[in-house]
Amino acid sequence: MFARFSVFAILVAFVSSSAIDKRAAPVNQLVGYATLNGGTTGGAGGATTTVTTLAALRAAITGATPKIVQISGIITGDGDTIDVGNHTTIVGVGSNSGVTGGGFRVKKGTNVIFRNLQLSKSPAPTDLIELQTSTNIWVDHNTFTSDLDHDKDFYDGQLDMNHGTDFVTVSWNVFQQHFKCSLVGGSDNTGDEDSGHLRVTYHHNHFLEINSRTPSLRFGTAHIYSNFFDNVLTSAVDSRDGAQVLIEDNQFTNVVDPIETTLNGGFAVQRSNIFTNTTIETTIAAGTLTTVPYTYTADGASTVSSIVVASAGAGKVTGL
Ligand SMILES: *[C@@H]1O[C@H](CO)[C@@H](O)[C@H](O)[C@H]1NC(C)=O
Ligand SMILES: *[C@@H]1O[C@H](CO)[C@@H](O)[C@H](O)[C@H]1NC(C)=O
């Protein structure tokens, strides 16, 4: 009886994992631009501390010594930035740990990982995460949540990058209920510091009920693959000011203006995407970004919505 039960249990486990998990891409591995320039390891090798208060969080993440800081529970911010030092991993415990009412900033920093965090409702001008003049950042398996009840400028960005930031990977996150999701390149006037930088990979993210900027990119270079754009109300990928974007193997469902190039002088290459209830503009300014300088495994557009819904966001990977 016991033996028969075990065989049955193994069969069930096998059948259900093969039915759900058609994923080709690893769910637990850094790929993309953050692997370049020496790679991104965060606080690997450093001491681990666990924090439950804003003061303890601020203290734990400063300084350049490698460190892993676990947040346990939801910490309420004070609306101001929470500044992150070099060589830091910030990771949530379980499925409901993170910060509300404030956001992180990496300024003139390097080598930071944000993982498994619930981040919500930071009043402007503080973004949920802002990367300023920083390199080698991995933003993975977080859930960013706001609301669309306020004016579009009540919150600022969910994940903004500016002033020459470079080598960033944004993977397996849920970005939901927000007006201005991810602005890469803060101004039309910063070409001197941004041109040749702002290299970002977005893969396997779920953009759910977002108004715009998934992302909006000025001057930089973005590789956007195997994401699920799920109800985007104004515009999704907005390539501006000479930016080059490669958009492949994504699913766009109920998206207004999925790929914009001509409005503000950007470029894009799009291939192997699926557009459902979505009209793609016929005048995409053809870009030059057709290959990227790293290896990666895309999931095909037809499988992306189920894969991303199953595996993106906080609570899907544990630990580091
Ligand atoms: C953090 O890294 C940046 C970029 O390498 C460097 O300019 C800065 O001095 C570092 N900060 C500290 C406190 O070591
Ligand atoms: C497409 O749009 C129609 C009309 O708004 C809606 O009823 C339908 O559910 C949408 N289809 C999908 C796949 O979202």
Side-chain angles (χ1 to χ4, degrees):
M1 191 58 196
F2 180 69
R4 260 200 278 161
F5 175 76
S6 301
V7 169
F8 176 72
I10 288 162
L11 279 175
V12 167
F14 176 75
V15 168
S16 56
S17 75
S18 61
I20 295 167
D21 188 8
K22 297 176 196 137
R23 200 166 30 76
V27 75
N28 221 356
Q29 184 187 310
L30 173 62
V31 296
Y33 281 110
T35 64
L36 306 181
N37 192 41
T40 302
T41 54
T48 300
T49 51
T50 302
V51 299
T52 59
T53 67
L54 182 60
L57 172 63
R58 279 208 167 99
I61 62 178
T62 56
T65 309
K67 58 206 160 299
I68 297 163
V69 178
Q70 299 191 119
I71 298 179
S72 179
I74 300 291
I75 292 175
T76 299
D78 57 9
D80 207 351
T81 58
I82 303 168
D83 288 307
V84 188
N86 296 348
H87 312 300
T88 305
T89 297
I90 304 173
V91 59
V93 176
S95 60
N96 196 29
S97 292
V99 172
T100 189
F104 292 104
R105 179 175 66 176
V106 188
K107 184 175 177 180
K108 298 182 179 168
T110 192
N111 195 24
V112 175
I113 298 174
F114 296 94
R115 200 155 201 229
N116 198 42
L117 298 166
Q118 294 279 355
L119 302 174
S120 64
K121 300 193 176 186
S122 180
T126 304
D127 301 316
L128 287 173
I129 296 180
E130 179 184 7
L131 309 177
Q132 195 181 121
T133 322
S134 294
T135 56
N136 293 93
I137 314 286
W138 186 24
V139 180
D140 180 67
H141 278 101
N142 305 287
T143 298
F144 297 78
T145 310
S146 306
D147 61 57
L148 296 166
D149 303 339
H150 296 83
D151 175 82
K152 71 177 175 56
D153 296 319
F154 183 80
Y155 303 114
D156 208 326
Q158 287 185 318
L159 173 55
D160 287 2
M161 310 170 203
N162 50 51
H163 297 293
T165 287
D166 217 348
F167 303 110
V168 180
T169 294
V170 181
S171 54
W172 299 103
N173 300 282
V174 176
F175 295 95
Q176 60 189 357
Q177 285 103 37
H178 193 80
F179 276 98
K180 303 179 294 183
C181 182
S182 186
L183 178 63
V184 181
S187 147
D188 293 328
N189 306 320
T190 48
D192 286 355
E193 52 184 331
D194 288 336
S195 294
H197 302 290
L198 297 176
R199 281 166 279 193
V200 190
T201 304
Y202 290 85
H203 73 88
H204 293 94
N205 299 288
H206 188 185
F207 296 100
L208 173 63
E209 294 166 15
I210 296 288
N211 186 67
S212 65
R213 302 185 182 174
T214 62
S216 168
L217 180 84
R218 292 181 172 105
F219 304 108
T221 299
H223 181 207
I224 300 173
Y225 72 90
S226 298
N227 300 280
F228 182 25
F229 297 85
D230 180 6
N231 287 278
V232 179
L233 311 175
T234 298
S235 64
V237 178
D238 188 5
S239 181
R240 313 162 68 165
D241 291 335
Q244 295 285 347
V245 187
L246 171 59
I247 305 167
E248 55 182 349
D249 295 298
N250 301 281
Q251 205 171 111
F252 294 84
T253 301
N254 298 321
V255 173
V256 177
D257 199 0
I259 301 172
E260 179 59 61
T261 55
T262 56
L263 199 57
N264 292 296
F267 301 90
V269 172
Q270 77 91 9
R271 61 192 182 206
S272 309
N273 299 291
I274 292 178
F275 301 94
T276 304
N277 269 7
T278 294
T279 306
I280 183 160
E281 126 183 286
T282 48
T283 49
I284 289 179
T288 55
L289 188 71
T290 54
T291 61
V292 287
Y294 50 80
T295 57
Y296 63 100
T297 304
D299 285 300
S302 66
T303 64
V304 151
S305 57
S306 65
I307 288 169
V308 162
V309 167
S311 299
K316 300 294 171 68
V317 291
T318 49
L320 307 170

